[in-house]
Amino acid sequence: MAQDIYILGIESSCDDTAASILCNGKIRSNIVATQEVHQQYGGVVPELASRAHQQNIVPVIHQAIAKANIGKKDISAIAFTRGPGLMGSLLVGTSFAKSLSMGLGIPLIEVNHMQAHILAHFIEEDGFGKPEFPFLAMTISGGHTQIVKVTDYFSMEVIGETIDDAVGEAFDKSAKILGLPYPGGPLIDKYAQEGNAKAFKFPKPKVSGLNFSFSGFKTAVLYFVEKQLKEDPHFIEKNLKDICASIQYTIVEILMDKLKKAVKETGINQVAIGGGVSANSGIRTALLDAEKRYKWKCFIPKFEYTTDNAAMIAIAGHYKFLKKEFSDYSTTAQARYKI
């Protein structure tokens, strides 16, 4: 009888400290400690994030192992996020993973955070199908916006990406302009569901190929709000739901236009999404609509696997473990780490 493969996944790329245990590709535990400290600053403060990771990492890993009902000696290998992300945050997870791997005498596996968002679709989960190769993956988060052609677990090619800001940044900055607290993206989504998406028109940037741009969009939202507030100081509170719905509608259109183009150019009609923004109801609805309209096969991850989590790091580690792709102790964190 084959021995069970237990992978401990560790994620610390930004402001969430996470640990997960996978057994043969199935989740046994998935623990995330979020950091509230950043809200008062309206964004993630890297130094504070690093300190919070140092406080959280031991209890989070301890909890993940305990919840999985195993001991440290049962772990087959440790997978950790090497990058991309905030350097100080990555260092905490990387250092801890290397030390634990050395202490337990088990393999160390480095994982690319963006590849892991895509591979989250391969976690064994009832009611969720897995894409077949080749497929297109759109990774959308606060730090990334990419369209990736995936031909195998670790054979990925970025065919389109943002040339400036990420889509999550566009959501959060728009929310900030409207006076909403950080993180504002989910609040725009919440208010958008009760608003009229055609109430206000925002421009869609013209970018060549399959690339994206959101900096001009953010500026357009800022100028629009400033202009309206001069005419009516209560404009935002009177029209908040309609403004949010119009912002969300435009952002989703920008994403979907490029995705349609990617499907047309590659001939691949299997589409998966990943990253924090894939929790957005507008993009989920648009994908399900495209599935019916264009006969696509769409894969939308379970909510807990959209934002940063360690289960996706563990599943990436699982497939690397099967190929015996291990790292040595000279490996270092990389803030910029291409797929």
Side-chain angles (χ1 to χ4, degrees):
M1 188 178 153
Q3 198 175 354
D4 287 331
I5 300 168
Y6 287 100
I7 304 291
L8 165 63
I10 299 173
E11 154 62 20
S12 71
S13 66
C14 190
D15 62 334
D16 290 325
T17 317
S20 175
I21 296 282
L22 246 73
C23 177
N24 305 326
K26 226 176 164 57
I27 293 287
R28 292 287 287 266
S29 64
N30 191 28
I31 309 296
V32 182
T34 50
Q35 303 176 3
E36 309 292 331
V37 67
H38 307 286
Q39 287 177 0
Q40 60 186 305
Y41 298 101
V44 176
V45 182
E47 173 63 22
L48 295 178
S50 306
R51 291 179 186 206
H53 282 306
Q54 287 176 321
Q55 290 169 344
N56 293 339
I57 196 156
V58 172
V60 163
I61 290 172
H62 180 77
Q63 203 178 334
I65 294 169
K67 195 175 177 194
N69 207 18
I70 62 167
K72 289 196 287 288
K73 65 181 187 311
D74 298 312
I75 300 168
S76 312
I78 297 167
F80 70 99
T81 303
R82 185 184 177 194
L86 299 174
M87 194 58 173
S89 295
L90 291 166
L91 280 169
V92 178
T94 304
S95 305
F96 195 92
K98 283 159 79 168
S99 305
L100 192 57
S101 155
M102 197 180 283
L104 295 174
I106 55 175
L108 180 70
I109 301 169
E110 65 184 63
V111 172
N112 181 304
H113 181 84
M114 299 314 295
Q115 282 188 337
H117 270 304
I118 295 168
L119 294 174
H121 288 278
F122 294 94
I123 296 169
E124 297 284 347
E125 197 70 54
D126 294 337
F128 287 82
K130 297 175 187 175
E132 291 172 14
F133 302 114
F135 66 92
L136 294 177
M138 185 163 70
T139 55
I140 41 179
S141 67
H144 295 85
T145 308
Q146 297 176 325
I147 298 177
V148 184
K149 184 180 169 188
V150 186
T151 47
D152 200 0
Y153 294 113
F154 299 102
S155 180
M156 302 183 186
E157 179 194 355
V158 177
I159 57 173
E161 61 189 331
T162 181
I163 58 171
D164 42 56
D165 299 321
V167 61
E169 167 91 349
F171 271 115
D172 286 341
K173 281 286 159 39
S174 298
K176 196 172 184 178
I177 292 163
L178 297 175
L180 298 173
Y182 176 86
L187 291 173
I188 286 187
D189 189 12
K190 180 187 165 191
Y191 293 125
Q193 291 175 47
E194 296 172 35
N196 172 12
K198 304 286 178 73
F200 306 105
K201 194 162 173 59
F202 294 106
K204 289 197 283 184
K206 291 176 174 61
V207 192
S208 64
L210 298 172
N211 287 339
F212 300 89
S213 168
F214 290 101
S215 65
F217 173 82
K218 289 189 324 189
T219 308
V221 171
L222 176 65
Y223 288 165
F224 166 80
V225 171
E226 283 178 346
K227 182 172 179 280
Q228 298 296 334
L229 286 175
K230 276 179 191 164
E231 294 167 19
D232 178 4
H234 302 289
F235 174 75
I236 292 176
E237 57 202 79
K238 285 180 188 169
N239 299 279
L240 182 62
K241 290 173 181 174
D242 287 351
I243 303 168
C244 288
S246 303
I247 287 171
Q248 178 151 303
Y249 174 78
T250 310
I251 290 175
V252 170
E253 282 256 290
I254 293 166
L255 295 173
M256 291 305 294
D257 286 351
K258 294 291 185 173
L259 206 44
K260 286 174 201 167
K261 194 175 181 188
V263 169
K264 197 174 175 184
E265 286 183 13
T266 60
I268 298 167
N269 66 353
Q270 285 202 93
V271 177
I273 57 167
V277 179
S278 61
N280 179 277
S281 67
I283 190 74
R284 284 173 173 246
T285 303
L287 272 173
L288 294 172
D289 179 52
E291 191 168 46
K292 292 191 195 91
R293 190 177 296 189
Y294 307 115
K295 303 287 185 283
W296 293 1
K297 191 151 193 229
C298 295
F299 299 87
I300 299 170
K302 198 174 175 184
F303 275 108
E304 68 179 283
Y305 306 139
T306 55
T307 50
D308 291 348
N309 66 89
M312 67 183 198
I313 304 302
I315 193 71
H318 174 80
Y319 286 110
K320 282 196 169 188
F321 183 87
L322 296 178
K323 293 169 74 176
K324 297 202 168 9
E325 275 190 32
F326 304 137
S327 307
D328 61 36
Y329 296 124
S330 67
T331 189
T332 54
Q334 273 193 289
R336 294 183 181 277
Y337 189 21
K338 291 198 179 298
I339 283 182

